[in-house]
Amino acid sequence: MTSIVESTTQPVTESGPAAPSPARALVCRGCGTEYPLAAQHACYECFGPLEVGYDQAALARVTRADIERGPDNLWRYAALLPAGQDPATRITVNPGLTPLVPAAALAAELGIAAPLWIKDDSANPTHSFKDRVVSVALTAAHGLGFARFACASTGNLANSVAAHAARAGVPSIVFIPADLERGKVVTTAVYGGELVAIEGSYDDVNRLCSELVETDEFADTAFVNVNVRPYYAEGSKTLGYEVAEQLGWRIPEQVVIPMASGELLTKIDKAFAELVEIGLVEAPAGGWTVFGAQSAGCNPIVTALRAGTDVIAPVRPTGIAKSLNIGDPAAGQYALEAVRRTGGWMDEATDDEIRAGIRLLARTTGVFAETAGGVTVAVLRKLVESGRLDPARETVVYNTGEGLKTLDAVATEVGPTHQVRPSLRALREVGLLG
Amino acid sequence: MTSIVESTTQPVTESGPAAPSPARALVCRGCGTEYPLAAQHACYECFGPLEVGYDQAALARVTRADIERGPDNLWRYAALLPAGQDPATRITVNPGLTPLVPAAALAAELGIAAPLWIKDDSANPTHSFKDRVVSVALTAAHGLGFARFACASTGNLANSVAAHAARAGVPSIVFIPADLERGKVVTTAVYGGELVAIEGSYDDVNRLCSELVETDEFADTAFVNVNVRPYYAEGSKTLGYEVAEQLGWRIPEQVVIPMASGELLTKIDKAFAELVEIGLVEAPAGGWTVFGAQSAGCNPIVTALRAGTDVIAPVRPTGIAKSLNIGDPAAGQYALEAVRRTGGWMDEATDDEIRAGIRLLARTTGVFAETAGGVTVAVLRKLVESGRLDPARETVVYNTGEGLKTLDAVATEVGPTHQVRPSLRALREVGLLG
């Protein structure tokens, strides 16, 4: 299958023999049972989700200099990931190393005194953080011998899987809810793979894919967030590694992260813990604190936190933050655990607050986020107002997607401030000239 | 004015005292008259356009290692640019170092035997190459004391100026034709500056801005592509530098470049010439060859090339490639000169060919381009078919913008391949399962 693998986009930045993968086994997050590194996502003993376990000694050999010598994308962290150590094996659009944007004007407006940063993952090739998880998942899937790539998606994942498949020249089949935003539908369909619109919610799509993965017809198919999910989830760790490196090898004191399945939040927390454990970074005095953000139309994890329970009651999602509309979040309980352990909190944003959040972020930072970013900024505001987030501690806010994909969210609210004929007189009449 | 300047997004990559600017004077491209480095764009003697002239000895001191030590964005080339040597003076969203994507499947489909690459500038922060020219123009404008940022735009420039102004906290006023694509209007308006829709063509907008720049009311306003145009244009050179560096300090044998004003093409050619002149790169055996691409709805430069004349007759633009719709191209004659001098050619693409070009590029590379990219890929195909472009020589094709901004171009052509209820039976009925 090596013919489907492209060379890196930065041909001059990597050389030398590839190290072996530091991944050791798949480990059940529930009961700890271990399994070989195969295409398996649930424990046969307790049905708990599986996670990649590493050879800690191998991780501990990684140095800052090794990473800094790496390519200008997430593969600089390959020695901390389960797959992709050899550039020739990567199925990737080379995402990562997205900007960490200082947000002083936003901080001032919200009453935050300490440094505030936006980690802007809309800068990835298909303009969401999903490129990270897809690159790791498909590289692992390629190594496991799969011949077709698939996913259940709320939109961004669809874009990324279809783009990765197109670049690699591998067939793809992507499943989406039929009511997705136009930008996300077109940006999947244009790559030419199969695109199946399902008349139902994301949770319906996800259940369907969980059935498909067991069929003979799909035995050759890697569903990035189903049968190779343990590898997929690890890609999110790079959003923790990068922020630490970009801050000069420091972990921020507070992070605010949007939640759909809840997996992104748990993996950023895991990345920080790994960096400390292997000695690349010291934990901040007082540790780091993790905050989660959902929309009011899909808030099952926030609801469980408020109720003080570990039991997450599924909801039927509504509202404009479609990329976060997972009513039955697979990693919700682990997100609760991380937030509670670190002394953080969660909150939710209404559709109007989401729109205001998008506009506030754009106006103060020049970053145009999709609805998920609006959720996160709106929740940041609430966390400051409620005193849950400490305005005297450094904070990083994660923007996971691009405003161009969810134009409708703000298109009725913003537009030209003036429309005139092409003449100085016309400009004078509307007060723009004298 | 230092309060409006942000720190770099990669705080750990730069240090040490800044070198002085290598810019020496503004030089008339027509008669060679020189002027001080001020906000001036036309020669008082012959009305020719001004260009930045450099201290060649200063440029010649720049080494590959200097550049490679720089930040992961266009400011790594600051020593070859007229402004921004000191990071603290930059007005920027830190664009650049965008992917150079290998395009083997596209090459195979077009009958190109040598390596083919897509320089994908949709990866910039506001998703077009305009972030490059705006960062250089506004950094120069800031140094010249301007207090407001403006432009005449076909869309991408509007997005970029508004985003730069928002990040810097400086007022902006952006002028666009009223019939622009919705994606480009919203992506400007969301940043909160003044946005003036003009009921006319881009050329009308441009003429209006040329009048405004002479008024007292706009004396404090830098129009990036009018009164600070010489600095603005230099930003495009980085698209030449980067390709050479990403190829391992080699100039590609052939480049295919979209043309609006024609300036981008001339500056990429200039960048290659500079790299050779200062000894950073050797010219390829046989030199490099420059090809230009326009849409059939706005083809004044192509028409002049075919007619064998230097006189470019303005046209009234039509067609879907709005970002290239400049009917009276300011640098057209210089683009003609570069193409003729290097043995290249130009061609044009109809709207149907543009749509096919967008889909071909997406399907074979995973890059979703806006209409301008569709123009360039369609023209690449024509240049191969006509024998103008040598399929045995290495070629780089420039994609300057993002497909999400011009969704309508392909939205009626692509969509879900299937729509079904969420059940295995429904999938079976449409032939997706056995």
Side-chain angles (χ1 to χ4, degrees):
Chain A
M1 274 175 74
T2 55
S3 65
I4 68 172
V5 179
E6 67 164 24
S7 63
T8 172
T9 62
Q10 272 136 355
V12 297
T13 50
E14 286 187 89
S15 60
S21 168
R24 183 179 52 77
L26 297 179
V27 183
C28 178
R29 277 165 122 168
C31 68
T33 302
E34 299 200 353
Y35 299 90
L37 292 160
Q40 181 184 348
H41 66 295
C43 178
Y44 299 140
E45 300 294 329
C46 75
F47 306 111
L50 302 185
E51 186 171 47
V52 175
Y54 293 92
D55 173 352
Q56 287 297 322
L59 298 187
R61 282 192 293 274
V62 177
T63 68
R64 291 181 184 179
D66 292 340
I67 292 168
E68 290 165 355
R69 264 196 307 273
D72 296 333
N73 56 53
L74 63 65
W75 298 113
R76 66 202 282 108
Y77 308 108
L80 305 172
L81 294 172
Q85 287 72 35
D86 178 357
T89 66
R90 295 174 192 157
I91 304 288
T92 188
V93 295
N94 291 309
L97 223 62
T98 55
L100 184 67
V101 179
L106 177 61
E109 205 152 319
L110 298 183
I112 295 174
L116 176 68
W117 305 84
I118 307 297
K119 176 62 174 174
D120 182 18
D121 238 26
S122 69
N124 280 315
T126 74
H127 309 310
S128 85
F129 88 100
K130 292 295 186 184
D131 286 334
R132 300 175 181 271
V133 289
V134 171
S135 277
V136 176
L138 293 182
T139 298
H142 168 60
L144 293 168
F146 288 100
R148 183 166 65 160
F149 300 153
C151 67
S153 174
T154 58
N156 283 319
L157 187 58
N159 299 166
S160 184
V161 168
H164 275 78
R167 188 162 303 176
V170 175
S172 66
I173 180 164
V174 163
F175 296 84
I176 55 172
D179 70 345
L180 266 199
E181 297 97 339
R182 181 166 165 267
K184 290 176 180 168
V185 175
V186 173
T187 303
T188 308
V190 74
Y191 297 114
E194 297 277 6
L195 175 59
V196 186
I198 299 295
E199 295 158 357
S201 68
Y202 169 79
D203 298 284
D204 294 330
V205 176
N206 191 39
R207 275 190 294 271
L208 183 68
C209 290
S210 296
E211 292 180 45
L212 283 176
V213 82
E214 306 294 340
T215 65
D216 289 345
E217 290 86 348
F218 282 79
D220 67 344
T221 304
F223 283 79
V224 295
N225 52 343
V226 184
N227 53 345
V228 292
R229 188 176 180 91
Y231 309 97
Y232 164 92
E234 292 297 288
S236 290
K237 292 194 307 183
T238 59
L239 266 171
Y241 301 148
E242 278 183 25
V243 162
E245 182 179 356
Q246 289 175 314
L247 289 174
W249 295 109
R250 283 193 301 111
I251 294 172
E253 295 175 292
Q254 302 179 121
V255 287
V256 186
I257 304 168
M259 298 186 296
S261 73
E263 193 80 89
L264 174 63
L265 183 148
T266 72
K267 293 302 183 183
I268 291 172
D269 175 65
K270 179 181 181 183
F272 292 159
E274 278 184 358
L275 290 180
V276 172
E277 190 173 342
I278 66 180
L280 285 185
V281 171
E282 282 182 38
W288 63 87
T289 307
V290 178
F291 297 88
Q294 290 199 297
S295 83
C298 182
N299 60 358
I301 315 178
V302 177
T303 300
L305 181 76
R306 286 194 187 128
T309 175
D310 278 337
V311 180
I312 295 172
V315 302
R316 178 159 287 274
T318 61
I320 61 173
K322 294 188 181 183
S323 64
L324 302 182
N325 279 354
I326 298 184
D328 188 7
Q333 62 175 293
Y334 303 104
L336 286 170
E337 185 279 324
V339 166
R340 287 176 176 141
R341 170 172 40 77
T342 64
W345 194 243
M346 298 175 179
D347 213 327
E348 64 189 46
T350 66
D351 284 358
D352 280 347
E353 290 167 344
I354 294 166
R355 281 185 275 264
I358 292 171
R359 295 179 64 182
L360 173 63
L361 181 68
R363 181 168 53 77
T364 55
T365 68
V367 173
F368 181 25
E370 67 156 51
T371 46
V375 167
T376 312
V377 171
V379 165
L380 169 68
R381 177 192 279 279
K382 288 188 173 182
L383 291 168
V384 175
E385 288 171 357
S386 67
R388 297 281 185 178
L389 185 137
D390 184 346
R393 299 177 82 204
E394 183 170 41
T395 302
V396 172
V397 173
Y398 285 84
N399 173 43
T400 51
E402 166 60 46
L404 280 162
K405 293 191 190 181
T406 60
L407 276 185
D408 285 334
V410 292
T412 56
E413 297 200 340
V414 303
T417 53
H418 303 85
Q419 177 157 342
V420 296
R421 299 182 315 284
S423 76
L424 295 183
R425 173 183 293 181
L427 289 179
R428 221 171 265 122
E429 283 168 5
V430 297
L432 287 172
L433 191 60
Chain B
M1 272 177 77
T2 55
S3 65
I4 68 172
V5 178
E6 67 165 23
S7 63
T8 171
T9 62
Q10 271 135 357
V12 297
T13 51
E14 284 186 271
S15 60
S21 168
R24 184 179 52 76
L26 297 179
V27 184
C28 178
R29 276 164 124 168
C31 69
T33 302
E34 298 201 353
Y35 299 90
L37 292 160
Q40 182 185 347
H41 65 294
C43 178
Y44 298 140
E45 300 294 330
C46 76
F47 307 110
L50 302 186
E51 185 171 46
V52 174
Y54 293 91
D55 174 353
Q56 288 297 321
L59 298 187
R61 282 192 293 273
V62 177
T63 68
R64 292 180 185 180
D66 293 339
I67 291 168
E68 289 164 356
R69 263 195 307 273
D72 296 332
N73 55 54
L74 64 65
W75 298 114
R76 66 203 280 110
Y77 308 107
L80 304 173
L81 294 172
Q85 287 72 36
D86 178 357
T89 66
R90 294 173 193 159
I91 303 287
T92 189
V93 296
N94 292 307
L97 223 63
T98 54
L100 184 67
V101 179
L106 176 61
E109 205 151 318
L110 298 182
I112 295 174
L116 176 66
W117 306 84
I118 308 298
K119 177 62 173 172
D120 182 17
D121 239 25
S122 69
N124 280 316
T126 75
H127 309 311
S128 84
F129 87 100
K130 292 295 186 184
D131 286 334
R132 299 175 182 272
V133 289
V134 172
S135 277
V136 176
L138 292 183
T139 297
H142 168 60
L144 293 168
F146 288 99
R148 183 165 64 159
F149 301 153
C151 67
S153 174
T154 58
N156 283 319
L157 187 58
N159 299 167
S160 184
V161 168
H164 276 78
R167 187 163 305 176
V170 176
S172 66
I173 179 164
V174 163
F175 296 85
I176 55 172
D179 70 344
L180 266 200
E181 298 96 339
R182 181 166 164 266
K184 289 177 180 168
V185 175
V186 173
T187 304
T188 307
V190 73
Y191 297 115
E194 297 276 7
L195 174 58
V196 186
I198 299 294
E199 295 159 356
S201 68
Y202 169 78
D203 299 283
D204 294 329
V205 176
N206 192 39
R207 274 189 295 271
L208 182 68
C209 290
S210 296
E211 291 179 46
L212 283 176
V213 81
E214 305 295 339
T215 64
D216 289 345
E217 290 85 349
F218 282 79
D220 67 344
T221 304
F223 283 80
V224 294
N225 54 343
V226 184
N227 53 345
V228 293
R229 187 176 181 91
Y231 309 97
Y232 164 92
E234 292 298 287
S236 291
K237 291 194 308 183
T238 59
L239 266 170
Y241 300 148
E242 278 183 25
V243 162
E245 183 180 357
Q246 289 176 312
L247 289 174
W249 296 108
R250 283 192 301 112
I251 293 172
E253 296 176 292
Q254 302 179 119
V255 288
V256 187
I257 303 167
M259 298 186 296
S261 73
E263 194 78 89
L264 174 63
L265 184 148
T266 72
K267 292 303 183 183
I268 290 172
D269 175 64
K270 180 182 180 183
F272 292 159
E274 278 183 359
L275 290 179
V276 171
E277 191 173 341
I278 66 181
L280 285 185
V281 170
E282 282 183 39
W288 63 89
T289 306
V290 178
F291 297 88
Q294 289 199 297
S295 83
C298 182
N299 60 359
I301 315 177
V302 177
T303 301
L305 181 75
R306 286 192 187 130
T309 175
D310 279 336
V311 180
I312 294 172
V315 301
R316 179 159 286 275
T318 60
I320 62 173
K322 295 187 181 181
S323 65
L324 301 183
N325 279 355
I326 298 184
D328 188 7
Q333 63 175 295
Y334 304 104
L336 286 169
E337 186 279 323
V339 165
R340 287 176 176 142
R341 171 172 38 79
T342 63
W345 194 245
M346 298 175 179
D347 213 326
E348 65 190 45
T350 66
D351 284 359
D352 280 347
E353 290 167 343
I354 294 166
R355 281 186 274 265
I358 292 171
R359 296 179 65 183
L360 174 62
L361 181 67
R363 179 167 55 79
T364 55
T365 68
V367 173
F368 181 25
E370 67 155 50
T371 46
V375 167
T376 312
V377 171
V379 165
L380 169 68
R381 176 192 280 279
K382 288 187 172 182
L383 291 167
V384 175
E385 289 172 357
S386 67
R388 296 281 185 177
L389 185 137
D390 184 347
R393 298 179 82 204
E394 183 169 42
T395 302
V396 172
V397 174
Y398 285 85
N399 173 43
T400 51
E402 168 60 46
L404 279 162
K405 293 192 190 181
T406 61
L407 275 185
D408 285 334
V410 292
T412 56
E413 297 200 340
V414 302
T417 52
H418 304 83
Q419 177 157 341
V420 296
R421 300 182 314 284
S423 75
L424 295 183
R425 174 184 292 181
L427 289 178
R428 221 171 265 121
E429 284 169 4
V430 298
L432 287 173
L433 191 60

